[in-house]
Amino acid sequence: MAIGSNGFVREKRMSLATKRLALALLLISRVGDVAAQGQPTPLRGTLREKGKPIIEAAVFLQSLEDEHCVKIFANRKPSRKSEEKLDQCMHDVATAVPDSHGYYEFTGLKPGWYAVHFLWNISEKPSQAQSLFKEGHWGIIYAGEKDSTGKYDTMAQDFPFYYSGRDDVARDFETQH
């Protein structure tokens, strides 16, 4: 506000262009806020072996149709019929390759049940007596013999988990073997 020469309060007015610009900026900031809130979070993880990133791997994401499918997956001794049902209710969704830090990411996923597994080669035979063992919540299996490259073909399988799309989900893998 300003005082005019007649002593009355005179209001300064914004030009129409200034009002439109202010309104446009306000709308843009609101749209950005709403878009950020509606964006699903990525499903991500880091793969490490003995403190070093695993970079030469193929990471696979699978979806499971429902909790019944998750229970079949978790069954240690499934019947032949259960294995057939699991084949029908578990689906490959996407594949990723870790970056130079062992980081992988899956985006654009719908809420639901998922499991991650990955394949890589290890140079040294694990210290475990068996070719199948557990590391954290991951099951690991490696070939008892070296392949043609002189390494052991290895797979790590994560336990199924529910992905809401809203909460941050990290499925990290770290082995000391």
Side-chain angles (χ1 to χ4, degrees):
M1 289 203 259
I3 306 289
S5 57
N6 60 3
F8 291 102
V9 175
R10 187 174 50 145
E11 224 177 284
K12 279 192 172 181
R13 299 190 184 241
M14 280 197 263
S15 72
L16 184 57
T18 304
K19 287 180 183 178
R20 286 184 179 160
L21 179 61
L23 180 60
L25 290 173
L26 178 66
L27 288 174
I28 289 170
S29 70
R30 293 283 183 198
V31 168
D33 290 345
V34 170
Q37 291 171 359
Q39 290 294 326
T41 60
L43 191 158
R44 61 183 175 71
T46 303
L47 309 177
R48 301 185 69 76
E49 179 182 10
K50 296 181 181 179
K52 295 180 181 178
I54 298 172
I55 57 175
E56 293 183 19
V59 184
F60 301 92
L61 181 66
Q62 298 170 308
S63 68
L64 294 98
E65 290 179 1
D66 52 27
E67 288 184 57
H68 179 68
C69 189
V70 171
K71 288 178 184 175
I72 295 171
F73 184 98
N75 187 347
R76 292 187 186 265
K77 295 182 181 179
S79 66
R80 185 166 178 75
K81 187 175 180 180
S82 293
E83 287 177 356
E84 289 172 3
K85 172 65 177 156
L86 184 62
D87 284 342
Q88 294 170 2
C89 68
M90 193 160 116
H91 311 284
D92 293 332
V93 176
T95 305
V97 176
D99 67 11
S100 62
H101 303 286
Y103 179 82
Y104 69 90
E105 181 177 284
F106 296 104
T107 59
L109 303 173
K110 296 177 184 176
W113 289 96
Y114 291 92
V116 174
H117 75 268
F118 69 97
L119 306 172
W120 86 111
N121 292 318
I122 56 177
S123 300
E124 298 174 27
K125 190 173 186 176
S127 60
Q128 302 292 328
Q130 302 172 340
S131 61
L132 176 61
F133 59 96
K134 194 169 181 176
E135 183 88 35
H137 54 84
W138 294 81
I140 302 170
I141 187 167
Y142 73 95
E145 304 287 325
K146 290 184 178 182
D147 64 14
S148 61
T149 66
K151 295 184 178 184
Y152 296 92
D153 296 331
T154 309
M155 183 186 89
Q157 175 69 59
D158 189 12
F159 193 80
F161 56 92
Y162 187 79
Y163 169 77
S164 70
R166 294 182 308 271
D167 300 323
D168 188 32
V169 176
R171 306 308 284 185
D172 297 326
F173 174 84
E174 173 98 29
T175 184
Q176 302 301 319
H177 298 92

